[in-house]
Amino acid sequence: MAASGTELIEIKGLHKSFGDNHVLRDIDFAVGEGEVVCLIGPSGSGKSTLLRCVNLLERPDGGAVIVRGENLADPDCHLDAARRHVGMVFQQFNLFPHLSVLENCTVAQKTVLGRKTAEADRIARANLERVGLTEKAAAYPAQISGGQQQRVAIARALSMDPMLMLFDEPTSALDPELVGDVLTVMRDLAEEGMTMLVVTHEMAFAREVADRVVFMDGGVVVEQGTPDNVIGNPRHERTRAFLRRVL
Ligand code: ADP
Ligand code: MG
């Protein structure tokens, strides 16, 4: 969980607009190798857009997103290569409904990474075991709970050997009783040393698991620091106002 000192992602002076809506304004922060950074802030503050710039679902308009020394904002950057080792887990799990749990975890391994079926199956099963769903390999998404579907989405992302995992409100669409199992899987991943950038409203999770918390509002980073500082003892009134609403 502790940062090793090497930055895996550096975001410098990042800008993004949609038409005249200036959504990200000069964003700066870094995520070190093995670090867990939680991104918090009100709805509409630009958190999802920021994550989407990190895996190039959106092209930044200015600034740099440097992943392992390569600037993704550079028009010459090879998008597929850059994206291949970034896992993303969304609020809506986005599983393929017509594929089994196992197949959901193998299809991209085969099509993107070129793995043979036997190898892809072995890796998928190992990751399903990691998220506690070995016995659901043959089930279809509609046959399992939302929390189980989200854990499959995590296993699917892990099966691509990501160097970095992005989570965008992974528990927001879940019934409250299903949230805990997903957070437990994420906590385990953090403890295993996975580098993670997590957008979440789960303040208890952020407080316990994050090495650093970044608070965004209105497209800017208002403050960042340790969870004890940002959540426990925020310096800015905007942070305090947000925390009063969510805690
Ligand atoms: P958050 O995830 O913090 O709720 P978002 O990044 O989703 O915030 O949205 C920030 C702003 O960007 C909002 O005003 C939203 O309407 C706008 N926005 C996000 N995605 C798009 C898009 N693809 N096209 C146009 N506007 C967008
Ligand atoms: Mg969002």
Side-chain angles (χ1 to χ4, degrees):
M1 241 162 74
S4 66
T6 328
E7 306 299 9
L8 189 61
I9 317 175
E10 285 177 84
I11 295 167
K12 292 182 178 168
L14 180 66
H15 285 269
K16 177 70 187 176
S17 296
F18 296 106
D20 53 13
N21 186 5
H22 196 169
V23 173
L24 298 177
R25 302 163 181 257
D26 202 20
I27 301 283
D28 282 300
F29 70 89
V31 183
E33 191 130 24
E35 215 182 2
V36 177
V37 174
C38 283
L39 197 53
I40 63 172
S43 178
S45 57
K47 306 179 300 295
S48 293
T49 304
L50 178 55
L51 281 198
R52 292 166 64 83
C53 285
V54 173
N55 75 348
L56 293 173
L57 292 170
E58 301 288 354
R59 275 280 192 186
D61 296 328
V65 179
I66 300 164
V67 178
R68 283 256 170 88
E70 191 171 5
N71 184 7
L72 306 189
D74 186 330
D76 295 334
C77 172
H78 195 300
L79 290 193
D80 289 343
R83 202 183 277 150
R84 186 164 300 173
H85 292 296
V86 178
M88 180 129 182
V89 174
F90 301 89
Q91 182 173 336
Q92 301 300 338
F93 333 117
N94 301 334
L95 297 180
F96 298 112
H98 59 292
L99 297 182
S100 71
V101 162
L102 184 72
E103 288 162 342
N104 265 281
C105 295
T106 59
V107 62
Q109 291 191 66
K110 294 195 261 190
T111 57
V112 179
L113 302 181
R115 287 180 182 151
K116 298 277 181 283
T117 300
E119 186 191 14
D121 281 0
R122 181 179 56 73
I123 291 168
R125 286 183 192 282
N127 284 305
L128 287 171
E129 186 176 350
R130 242 167 133 178
V131 303
L133 288 175
T134 308
E135 78 286 5
K136 297 294 183 189
Y140 283 82
Q143 298 170 323
I144 60 178
S145 74
Q148 290 172 332
Q149 289 183 54
Q150 191 60 299
R151 284 149 61 200
V152 173
I154 294 171
R156 175 177 63 177
L158 291 173
S159 296
M160 301 297 282
D161 299 333
M163 60 180 180
L164 162 70
M165 288 282 283
L166 306 175
F167 292 87
D168 193 355
E169 299 194 34
T171 60
S172 295
L174 299 177
D175 291 336
E177 75 273 20
L178 303 177
V179 168
D181 287 345
V182 173
L183 293 180
T184 297
V185 166
M186 292 171 65
R187 193 179 291 116
D188 291 348
L189 271 184
E191 276 167 13
E192 288 165 24
M194 177 63 73
T195 307
M196 296 165 51
L197 179 53
V198 183
V199 175
T200 187
H201 293 297
E202 296 287 338
M203 292 302 135
F205 174 85
R207 221 166 160 167
E208 182 197 331
V209 179
D211 296 298
R212 221 139 35 76
V213 174
V214 176
F215 172 69
M216 282 178 68
D217 193 9
V220 301
V221 173
V222 175
E223 66 180 296
Q224 55 179 308
T226 63
D228 281 349
N229 283 331
V230 176
I231 300 175
N233 188 22
R235 286 184 295 132
H236 289 264
E237 176 50 33
R238 284 157 86 179
T239 318
R240 286 195 283 268
F242 170 73
L243 291 169
R244 276 197 296 274
R245 291 199 301 274
V246 297
L247 284 177

